[in-house]
Amino acid sequence: MKIILASDHGGTNLRKEIASLLDELEIQYEDIGCDCAGSVDYPDYGIPAAERVANGEFDKGILICGTGIGMSISANKVKGIRAALVHDLFSAKATREHNDSNVLCMGERVIGPGLAIEIVRTWVSTEYEGGRHANRVGKIAEYENK
Ligand code: RB5
């Protein structure tokens, strides 16, 4: 599995913690920043990262900003992206099983690093169930391809 990791200034600390976790899990990833002292605009990081998932260069993306909301809105504008804003373990598991989410968004200002790390562990290790969910996910793709 190859993951692309990005954040704005509001998510830099958590992004670095997640990078350490991916190292520990021996999951291949590319961290595209930001390497910022000042503030940056989340779409400048979220959209390029999402595009690189959509074009198949990466299997999944993890995007962090202050709330996770800006990153999730941005990523979901990219065709083929199913970005999930997740701040609890139930949703981390369910969004992989049911939505086949390919981008995980979290807010560094919303949750602590301990929970965020457990969310990433759950999200990367949970498989999509397909079955009855495939029809629903398929309808999203159908709409995108209209
Ligand atoms: C930046 O201040 C903040 O707006 C951003 O990190 C994010 O929370 C946006 O949704």
Side-chain angles (χ1 to χ4, degrees):
M1 185 194 303
K2 272 176 72 183
I3 290 182
I4 186 161
L5 189 56
S7 77
D8 71 355
H9 56 286
T12 304
N13 296 325
L14 181 53
R15 191 189 84 238
K16 288 182 178 164
E17 301 236 21
I18 293 168
S20 301
L21 172 69
L22 296 178
D23 284 331
E24 180 195 318
L25 296 175
E26 297 182 352
I27 291 176
Q28 216 185 322
Y29 68 92
E30 184 177 327
D31 181 349
I32 64 163
C34 69
D35 290 317
C36 38
S39 81
V40 297
D41 299 330
Y42 53 81
D44 292 342
Y45 292 85
I47 292 174
E51 283 176 336
R52 293 174 72 184
V53 175
N55 74 16
E57 195 184 340
F58 291 88
D59 302 299
K60 291 185 171 70
I62 301 178
L63 306 178
I64 314 296
C65 62
T67 59
I69 297 170
M71 283 297 196
S72 58
I73 292 171
S74 302
N76 276 317
K77 297 294 177 194
V78 177
K79 191 172 164 182
I81 293 302
R82 293 174 301 280
L85 175 60
V86 173
H87 291 125
D88 67 277
L89 288 171
F90 176 82
S91 302
K93 185 166 180 280
T95 191
R96 284 290 311 125
E97 289 175 342
H98 296 192
N99 315 122
D100 196 18
S101 55
N102 50 11
V103 170
L104 171 68
C105 302
M106 291 184 291
E108 180 182 317
R109 297 173 186 157
V110 180
I111 48 170
L115 176 55
I117 290 301
E118 289 311 308
I119 287 171
V120 174
R121 280 185 194 278
T122 300
W123 189 75
V124 298
S125 62
T126 304
E127 295 297 325
Y128 174 48
E129 278 180 1
R132 71 186 192 279
H133 303 295
N135 191 39
R136 297 158 186 171
V137 171
K139 285 185 177 181
I140 299 169
E142 215 174 273
Y143 177 78
E144 279 182 325
N145 288 316
K146 257 200 228 168

